[in-house]
């Protein structure tokens, strides 16, 4: 069975976005916690969520090679959420 690793929360301060901080955090976490093949999943805003564009989260994960996957239960405020998945070889 191929392991699935989950990113539960990743936040970069707005003034530091676009500086490579998020990419560095993801790179370090994957080196440390994803020892071999499998997949990495993160749940972020759905495409229709007002925070999707503002936060840049969807675009961030896509730049890292994650692909949008299935929708999941709404967040605590009722907004849509979607899984993003990355295959790791």
């Amino acid at each position: 069975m191929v392991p699935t690793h989950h990113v539960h929360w990743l936040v970069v301060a707005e003034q530091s976005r676009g500086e490579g901080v998020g990419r560095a955090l993801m790179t370090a976490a994957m080196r440390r916690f994803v020892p071999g093949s499998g997949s990495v999943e993160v749940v972020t805003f759905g495409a229709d969520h007002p925070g999707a564009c503002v936060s840049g989260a969807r675009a961030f994960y896509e730049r890292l090679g994650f692909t949008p996957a299935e929708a999941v239960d709404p967040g605590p405020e009722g907004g849509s959420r979607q899984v993003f998945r990355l295959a790791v070889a």
Side-chain angles (χ1 to χ4, degrees), residues 40-85:
V40 178
E41 294 182 353
V42 61
V43 174
T44 191
F45 298 118
D48 64 341
H49 191 288
C53 290
V54 174
S55 74
R58 293 175 62 86
F60 168 73
Y61 290 113
E62 287 176 336
R63 280 193 304 274
L64 294 181
F66 285 75
T67 55
E70 66 274 6
V72 292
D73 291 338
E77 82 297 346
S80 65
R81 296 291 190 271
Q82 185 174 12
V83 171
F84 275 61
R85 190 172 287 122

Side-chain angles (χ1 to χ4, degrees), residues 24-42:
L25 288 169
M26 284 298 296
T27 298
M30 289 178 63
R31 276 192 199 128
R32 183 172 182 179
F33 299 112
V34 183
S37 63
S39 67
V40 178
E41 294 182 353
V42 61

Side-chain angles (χ1 to χ4, degrees), residues 6-26:
H6 301 273
V7 177
H8 291 282
W9 195 256
L10 175 69
V11 177
V12 174
E14 187 173 357
Q15 66 269 22
S16 297
R17 292 180 187 157
E19 304 290 322
V21 175
R23 181 178 292 274
L25 288 169
M26 284 298 296

